[in-house]
Each structure stands twice: as structure tokens, then as C-alpha cells.
Amino acid sequence: MGKVKVTSKNNQVKVQIRSSNGEQLNQNMAAYLSSVNVEGFLPFYIVTNSEGFTAEYGAAGFETAKDFFKNRVIDQNTFYNFIDSSVKALSGMSAYNMEYGNVLVSLDTVLVESRTGRAMYLYYPVYGYNNGNFFNTFLGDVVSNMTTPSATDVSYIERLNDMLRHPDSMSWDTLKEYADSVKVIIPNVPQMHPASYSEPVITPVQPINSGNAGKTCPVCGTYNALADAVFCSNCGNRLNLDDINVSIVETEYKTCPACGFVNSPDSVFCAGCGIKMDEYKMPEDKQETDEKKEIQNTSILIKNGRVVDPVSGTDEVIDVFIKNNVIEEIGHDINAADFNSEESDNIKIINADGMIVAPGLVDTHVHFRDPGFTYKEDIITGASAAARGGFTTVVCMANTKPVVDNVETLRYIQEKGETTGIHVMQTATVTKELNGTELVDMEALADAGAAGFTDDGIPIMDEHVLVTAMKKAVELDLPISLHEEDPEFIIRPGVNQGKVSDQLGYGGASATAEDVMVARDCMLALNTGASVCIQHISSGNSVELVRLAKKLGADIHAEATPHHFTLTEDAVLKYGTNARMNPPLRTENDREKIIEGIKDGTIDMIVTDHAPHSEEEKAKPLENAPSGITGLETSLALGIKSLVEPGHISLMKLIELMSKNPAEFYRMVPGSITKGASADIVIFGEKDLWTVNREDFASKACNSPFIGWELPGKVHYTICSGKIIYQA
Ligand SMILES: NC(=O)N[C@@H](CC(=O)O)C(=O)O
Ligand SMILES: [Zn+2]
């Protein structure tokens, strides 16, 4: 392939690479460039105003990329390949943002600015892209950046728009032609080039992974000396395991306060678990004070609590005695004095007078973002949020990076989960890289302990793929959970298509998007006999469809989230991006039908869909912010407020929906307050009011519309495997 200068007339091109998910783009950029021999004669300069970089990794990765591009010449092929590799890698993770058809996270923006002030944005489309609306949105930005949009500009945009729909036919020459033909003034982009331009100085740049000593971070370039480092000590990103080649011996070490991994002395981020060590605040209940140690090592006697246990049907004030991780005894009037003095000295007594003592809650739909998006949440902080919410078991969704479509990633999560104090279960995806077409090795993943299979975040559109997966799931006796939104009926995700989206001119996601898929999958479940869960149901008609399928004998189940039974689309006007989620909040009528479904058992699980995002991400305009809200720390309270207090269901029923049913769906033995059962227990005040404060969240994220709400149902203790893992 010949080398083509992509420059303006006077030979200078400035490139700004922006990504709606900056850190990923840069990770790929740095990794790719470390593996190529850069040659050619196109000088690239990266300029940044940090736009589009949402995480600290982004900035670090960006600096590396800048260094790489500086004074280098890159040929067309290299550039193409680089963009290609970035886009391919990005498309695999589109699920987390739920932008249908691989939009947004998969879409990268390259600004080519010529020295004459002429510039263009190249919107590089991703494979599998199938929704033109986003391009139009971005192209709209271009138009709005034009100082004097003329008829030519408009026709240019139209041409570009058309070209982007056929990326294969896009040539470098066309790109060049566009770069010099469009008058786009980009504000706030610093001028990088001196007025008198001379040929770039080509200085040889060391490849990223040079030499034999050490493992260089593909994102920020920092040298990590320890052979078994998994995460970069500087930027916290995952290091490429293939590149391990370490010989340097460190003399002083820094032990991670969260996971105990021994790091090199100047490490900022832990190479074992990825947390920022200096800023890590150990959850109070994990601090090794003498008092806590004592609590951890003693038996626990819970006195005078009202035991509400849907498994045994118990609803009475009764004492519970815990020893050796299990419930040793339940009964009236168990007293410390009943035990011999040595034992009774070591009993931690909890006075649960006026409180509810229930089986530990089970949330079977959480996103802990680990690996890959640990700036939003990680397994340790996710588990702390769970404990604070009264949960002792969680089932994590698989839209991490890499996605859980392989045994190695599954094991990583399971092993880290074991250090948290709660039970962390992990699902695997149905399809590889969530691509909707190729099935994962379901058997191997089942053998390795996957809790079930789900492409949560994106719908599975291909019936053949889904039916094959359902049949395999039947063989493996594992459930399949489905995110039901057909992109055909979505103009923009995250907000209901209705009065609010009309008011905002947003487009929105129609309830039909959910209904058509739920109708299909109810019938497929019936037909295959698979155990299927309709995730986070949001539409009243979908509830009706599940009701019918259950009546017909399908092994079908449905989840409802606290936000879907508490809020309606109006919340978007009040809480903005913190009310943007997939599927969206819908109408009062839908909300009522969800409650009806909960009452009559059509909906059998309450889950949070805990979907943490960073403040920066949620600070973006509604159309650009990611979908999803956190939920673990407000779920029980909202269940009481929206379902129990108005008299829709009993407290017993709420606990059934938040513990027994989800556990059983994912093939676990449900927790119960009975002799011999594992001591997984939540103790809360049903009517104890508390205020949701953003500072109090144990989660890394605080993207919740419920901040400032006063809620009932304060959790006082969470006990998991006989240990107090949270205490208010
Ligand atoms: N619910 C959301 O809006 N987002 C979830 C994905 C999902 O559960 O669909 C996420 O991963 O952020
Ligand atoms: Zn989902």
C-alpha cells in the first residue's frame, strides 16, 4: 500500500482523538502502537482538552499516546490498523452502555484539523452499527461548530454521513479531500504548530515493552517491576499478562490495605486488586481493632428480634444464636448465661428489640464493573455497598471488560469475590464478547461455576442463537436471563418514549421494544423448557405477557427493580441523568402493573440492577451520559416504602422477593433462619427512618435519584457466614 500524506495543503495535520470512552481508546492505542513499526511521513500531534476522557486512566493513557505520536511519522496503513483495532476492541464492550447497535462507546471521533483552520471530524463507525441516529447527533455538533455553515457544508455533512454508512468505501484520499474542503473552526483547540513549519524531526521511540526487565503498562507506560502484578501501579489498569518478563527485585514493599498484595514501594495503585492504596478507606467493619476482632471471633446472640423468614414461614419474636458460621439455635429466651462462662464471655449480643431479623438479602442483578471499569466500582467496594444494603449474596452481570465469556475472567472475579466477606456469584455471557452471534463455551463456564448466562446490557436478537443457548442451559440446569429491548423501537435509550421524551425532544425507548422481545422469549421459554428470567421488567404489557406464559406452563420468571416500582418517567425531569437507565422508567400505569405483577407472583424477584457510573459520566448531557443507577444501598428501604407501607405486600413477601426467590432461581440454597442454616442474616428496623446521603454510600458511585430521600428500613447489621460484615 502506498503511503499517502493525510495533510492539508501546507503539509500539516493535527489530530485529536476523542472517545466517548477515552480510556479504552487510549489503552488500545498504546497497546497497538507498541506492537507496530511506525513508518511513513504523516506527522500526528495529539491535542487535548480532556474532553471525552472520563477517568483518571484516560488522562494517563492520553499522555502515553501523546508521547507515542510526538515526532513520529505514521503511514496510512498503520493509522488504519490502529483505528481498526481500537474500534474492534471497543465494539466488544458496547454492552455496558447499552447503546444499541454498538453506538457511543464503539464510536470514536477523530478530529483532523489542518493548519489553515480547516478541519473535519471523522466519525469512525464500528462494525455492526445499525442505527443512524447517533451519527446524526454527532454530525450535528460539527454543523454547530461551523462559523458560517453554507450550502456546501451541509452537502458535505450529508456526503460524510452517507459515507459513514458505508465505511468500506471510505478512502484515505476522500478523507484528505474532506480535510481541506470543510470550514470548521473548533473552539478551544490550542495551536500546536509554529507558524513556520518544517519537516518533523523523527526521533526513534523505544517500543513500549522494551527489553527483558519488567512489565510496562500498556495504558500509561509505567514500568511495573513485580512479576505477578496484575494491575499497573501507576494508573490501576490491567497489565497484559502475555508480557510478563520480569527480573528486577524490589527491596521495600507496600502492602495493599484491601487485598494484602505486596507492591513495589512507590506504587500508587495496588497491582493485586487495582485500588488506589493511599485513598483506600477500609470499611469500618473490617478494621482490625481489638473490639472488631473480638466480634469476628465470637458467637453472636441476636436477642428479641422479629424473625421474618419466608423459607420456614416463621414470623415471631425469637432469639437466634450463631456459632461457627451457622445458626446453632433458635428459640425463646436463649441467654448468654445458659452457656459455660468461657463461651458466654465470647458471645456478642445484639439487642434486636423492635427490629426485623431476616435471611440475608440476595441481589441477582448487579454490575461490579471489575475487571475493566474499576473507576466506577470494583468487587471490594461493590461488596461493601451490598453489605450496607443488607445483602449477603450477589450475582454479578457479565458486561465487564473483558466480558465474562471465558473461564479465566470468571475465575478472577470468583477469587476476588471470595475476599469480600459476602457471597459473590458471577454469570457468564451467552455470546462471545456480547456479540449476539457466537455462543460461549457454556459447558466449560458452567463447570467453572458460572451462576447462569446473560448478555445483560444488550438483547439477543438472533433466535437461533438464543434457542441453542436455551437448550444447552436446560442440559446444564442453569438459568438464562434476558435484557429485553429491541433496538428497532428505540430512538434513544434510557428515557421512555412518551410525554417526557416528547417534552425534551429526546426520542426515547418505546415500551414496545420490551414487549415484542418478552412476547418472543416467553414462547421460546415455553418451547424449550428453559428457565428464563425477564430482567428488570418495565412495561405493564410485558408483565401481562409473563403472566400468560406462566399460566401456559413456561419456566419463566421476572425481575422488578426498586426504581421501576417507585418512579415514573417524570423522574427524568427532576433527576436528569440519574433517572436515565435501560429499560427506562415508564408511566404510572406501567408502575401500577408492575406492582400488580409483584402482588400476584408474576414478578418473583426484586433486584437492583446496581449500575454504578462515575460523576463525570453522569454529568454529561442526558443523551451522552451512560444509562444505569446504583441500587444496593436503597433497595430494601424502597421495597418497604413503595410496596409494604402502602399495603401492597407483606414484609414476609418482600423478603421472599429479595432473598428466597432470586436465590432459588440461580440454583442456590435459599437462606433461612433455621437451626443449621448458614448464618447469613440482615437485621433492620422496618420503620426506622434514615436519609440517603451521598457521602454515606459504600459504593464508589453515587448515581442515585434517591439522594436526599428519607426512607424507612434502616439496616443495622448484616451478618454473612456468621461474621458481622456491616454495622450501622
Ligand atoms: N441498566 C442500565 O441502564 N445499565 C446497565 C446494563 C443493564 O443492566 O442493562 C449497565 O451495565 O450500566
Ligand atoms: Zn440490563
Side-chain angles (χ1 to χ4, degrees):
M1 180 182 261
K3 289 169 185 161
V4 180
K5 272 188 183 177
V6 183
T7 63
S8 68
K9 285 172 194 120
N10 57 0
N11 218 19
Q12 294 182 40
V13 171
K14 184 157 78 174
V15 175
Q16 182 180 29
I17 301 213
R18 299 198 315 179
S19 163
S20 44
N21 195 314
E23 80 280 16
Q24 290 304 323
L25 178 66
N26 288 305
Q27 189 167 0
N28 297 321
M29 182 191 315
Y32 176 72
L33 289 173
S34 70
S35 68
V36 296
N37 254 336
V38 177
E39 53 165 310
F41 47 88
L42 173 66
F44 276 91
Y45 291 85
I46 305 290
V47 289
T48 181
N49 52 8
S50 298
E51 233 184 302
F53 297 102
T54 52
E56 54 200 29
Y57 312 158
F62 180 78
E63 287 304 316
T64 316
K66 196 161 111 184
D67 272 344
F68 267 102
F69 277 108
K70 205 166 155 187
N71 293 333
R72 295 187 101 172
V73 287
I74 296 172
D75 71 336
Q76 171 188 341
N77 207 9
T78 304
F79 184 67
Y80 263 150
N81 284 340
F82 153 63
I83 294 285
D84 238 36
S85 70
S86 298
V87 168
K88 272 188 192 140
L90 284 166
S91 64
M93 41 161 291
S94 60
Y96 105 88
N97 251 356
M98 264 295 298
E99 308 299 353
Y100 292 104
N102 297 333
V103 191
L104 207 60
V105 290
S106 315
L107 182 70
D108 296 306
T109 309
V110 179
L111 162 68
V112 181
E113 189 185 5
S114 76
R115 198 168 163 275
T116 53
R118 299 174 159 222
M120 67 162 294
Y121 283 95
L122 162 64
Y123 296 87
Y124 202 91
V126 69
Y127 308 103
Y129 176 77
N130 63 3
N131 178 343
N133 295 303
F134 281 86
F135 282 144
N136 290 332
T137 303
F138 286 108
L139 290 170
D141 291 348
V142 177
V143 178
S144 66
N145 272 328
M146 289 180 173
T147 39
T148 45
S150 64
T152 332
D153 295 327
V154 173
S155 78
Y156 159 77
I157 294 298
E158 277 166 10
R159 273 175 69 203
L160 181 57
N161 195 10
D162 185 53
M163 185 175 78
L164 291 168
R165 288 166 197 277
H166 306 99
D168 294 346
S169 64
M170 182 162 24
S171 78
W172 203 248
D173 277 343
T174 331
L175 172 60
K176 174 176 176 282
E177 183 201 318
Y178 283 165
D180 276 337
S181 70
V182 182
K183 300 181 193 68
V184 182
I185 306 299
I186 306 301
N188 303 328
V189 175
Q191 283 297 313
M192 295 276 292
H193 305 293
S196 58
Y197 177 77
S198 53
E199 278 297 303
V201 184
I202 302 166
T203 42
V205 181
Q206 286 293 315
I208 248 183
N209 295 307
S210 62
N212 294 326
K215 194 160 144 192
T216 303
C217 176
V219 180
C220 71
T222 297
Y223 174 76
N224 286 257
L226 293 179
D228 46 354
V230 183
F231 295 90
C232 174
S233 64
N234 178 56
C235 72
N237 260 299
R238 227 176 149 71
L239 296 164
N240 184 351
L241 297 175
D242 299 331
D243 292 341
I244 299 175
N245 222 340
V246 176
S247 61
I248 288 190
V249 179
E250 294 286 340
T251 48
E252 283 176 60
Y253 301 100
K254 192 164 167 187
T255 305
C256 173
C259 75
F261 190 94
V262 182
N263 293 272
S264 55
D266 48 358
S267 298
V268 179
F269 289 89
C270 171
C273 68
I275 62 126
K276 204 166 186 175
M277 286 184 283
D278 289 345
E279 284 175 16
Y280 180 74
K281 265 207 346 252
M282 191 174 290
E284 230 179 82
D285 48 343
K286 288 210 187 96
Q287 277 169 25
E288 292 284 304
T289 61
D290 287 350
E291 191 202 351
K292 301 283 169 168
K293 255 189 196 153
E294 196 192 321
I295 291 173
Q296 304 263 324
N297 295 334
T298 52
S299 309
I300 303 169
L301 176 58
I302 305 167
K303 287 287 295 174
N304 296 324
R306 177 180 150 205
V307 170
V308 176
D309 174 15
V311 172
S312 63
T314 311
D315 186 348
E316 64 174 311
V317 174
I318 196 164
D319 299 336
V320 179
F321 180 60
I322 297 165
K323 192 182 167 189
N324 297 336
N325 310 346
V326 295
I327 297 174
E328 170 94 353
E329 196 60 66
I330 59 167
H332 297 284
D333 282 331
I334 304 177
N335 292 302
D338 301 344
F339 302 88
N340 67 45
S341 65
E342 199 190 325
E343 196 170 348
S344 71
D345 283 352
N346 282 326
I347 296 175
K348 154 89 182 166
I349 297 172
I350 294 175
N351 178 7
D353 214 352
M355 296 185 199
I356 306 295
V357 177
L361 304 178
V362 178
D363 188 349
T364 52
H365 189 141
V366 301
H367 299 269
F368 278 2
R369 312 293 193 207
D370 187 353
F373 307 105
T374 49
Y375 65 93
K376 297 174 194 250
E377 192 79 287
D378 61 44
I379 293 168
I380 313 280
T381 55
S384 299
R388 182 162 179 265
F391 293 90
T392 53
T393 301
V394 294
V395 174
C396 301
M397 294 298 106
N399 59 341
T400 49
K401 168 93 176 137
V403 298
V404 190
D405 59 2
N406 64 86
V407 170
E408 193 195 344
T409 308
L410 174 64
R411 291 233 166 93
Y412 159 80
I413 295 164
Q414 289 166 331
E415 279 164 24
K416 196 162 169 185
E418 271 165 28
T419 67
T420 60
I422 67 162
H423 310 293
V424 177
M425 311 279 291
Q426 178 61 52
T427 54
T429 57
V430 176
T431 64
K432 285 186 190 154
E433 293 185 347
L434 295 163
N435 65 17
T437 52
E438 269 171 289
L439 284 186
V440 296
D441 185 344
M442 292 174 69
E443 202 156 335
L445 287 156
D447 284 350
F453 296 93
T454 175
D455 273 6
D456 180 43
I458 29 180
I460 300 174
M461 300 309 296
D462 185 323
E463 285 90 1
H464 177 74
V465 167
L466 183 56
V467 169
T468 314
M470 282 184 177
K471 287 180 178 161
K472 191 73 196 171
V474 172
E475 266 173 45
L476 299 167
D477 186 31
L478 282 177
I480 290 207
S481 299
L482 300 169
H483 181 118
E484 308 287 53
E485 286 187 288
D486 182 341
E488 182 60 30
F489 305 99
I490 296 176
I491 297 172
R492 273 207 192 115
V495 176
N496 184 44
Q497 215 172 88
K499 71 174 189 317
V500 171
S501 69
D502 283 353
Q503 190 179 328
L504 299 173
Y506 184 83
S510 158
T512 308
E514 180 168 299
D515 298 340
V516 292
M517 297 207 62
V518 171
R520 181 196 75 172
D521 295 339
C522 280
M523 292 307 112
L524 294 182
L526 184 63
N527 184 265
T528 58
S531 187
V532 169
C533 166
I534 304 299
Q535 297 184 301
H536 37 47
I537 205 161
S538 68
S539 136
N541 287 346
S542 287
V543 177
E544 194 64 56
L545 288 162
V546 173
R547 187 174 284 126
L548 171 68
K550 279 196 161 169
K551 202 165 122 198
L552 295 173
D555 185 3
I556 192 129
H557 303 258
E559 303 168 347
T561 70
H563 43 276
H564 286 114
F565 62 65
T566 301
L567 301 172
T568 65
E569 58 189 339
D570 292 336
V572 176
L573 298 173
K574 204 162 172 192
Y575 306 110
T577 58
N578 279 343
R580 179 190 156 147
M581 76 282 296
N582 303 324
L585 301 166
R586 301 206 191 270
T587 64
E588 179 59 17
N589 186 272
D590 291 302
R591 192 182 81 87
E592 282 164 11
K593 286 196 166 155
I594 289 171
I595 293 175
E596 274 311 306
I598 288 172
K599 283 165 79 167
D600 74 2
T602 301
I603 294 169
D604 40 20
M605 294 178 258
I606 290 174
V607 303
T608 64
D609 187 11
H610 180 78
H613 293 292
S614 72
E615 286 196 61
E616 291 81 355
E617 287 167 317
K618 280 294 194 182
K620 290 180 179 178
L622 189 60
E623 62 270 30
N624 299 336
S627 293
I629 63 167
T630 58
L632 279 163
E633 295 171 67
T634 48
S635 182
L636 174 64
L638 291 167
I640 294 171
K641 183 183 170 62
S642 306
L643 301 175
V644 179
E645 281 190 349
H648 297 307
I649 59 171
S650 65
L651 189 63
M652 177 75 87
K653 176 85 175 168
L654 180 70
I655 303 297
E656 182 186 321
L657 283 147
M658 294 187 71
S659 176
K660 176 177 180 285
N661 294 353
E664 283 175 347
F665 178 70
Y666 278 97
R667 291 17 183 186
M668 295 175 230
V669 178
S672 71
I673 312 285
T674 46
K675 192 172 167 171
S678 170
D680 294 354
I681 292 173
V682 56
I683 302 174
F684 62 94
E686 183 187 357
K687 297 191 165 61
D688 282 0
L689 294 176
W690 61 289
T691 303
V692 185
N693 286 319
R694 71 169 49 224
E695 308 79 52
D696 297 340
F697 282 126
S699 168
K700 275 187 192 175
C702 53
N703 49 315
S704 162
F706 302 110
I707 290 170
W709 283 42
E710 191 182 56
L711 296 173
K714 184 176 166 63
V715 174
H716 290 279
Y717 291 91
T718 308
I719 299 170
C720 187
S721 300
K723 295 188 178 59
I724 297 171
I725 53 160
Y726 172 78
Q727 184 176 341

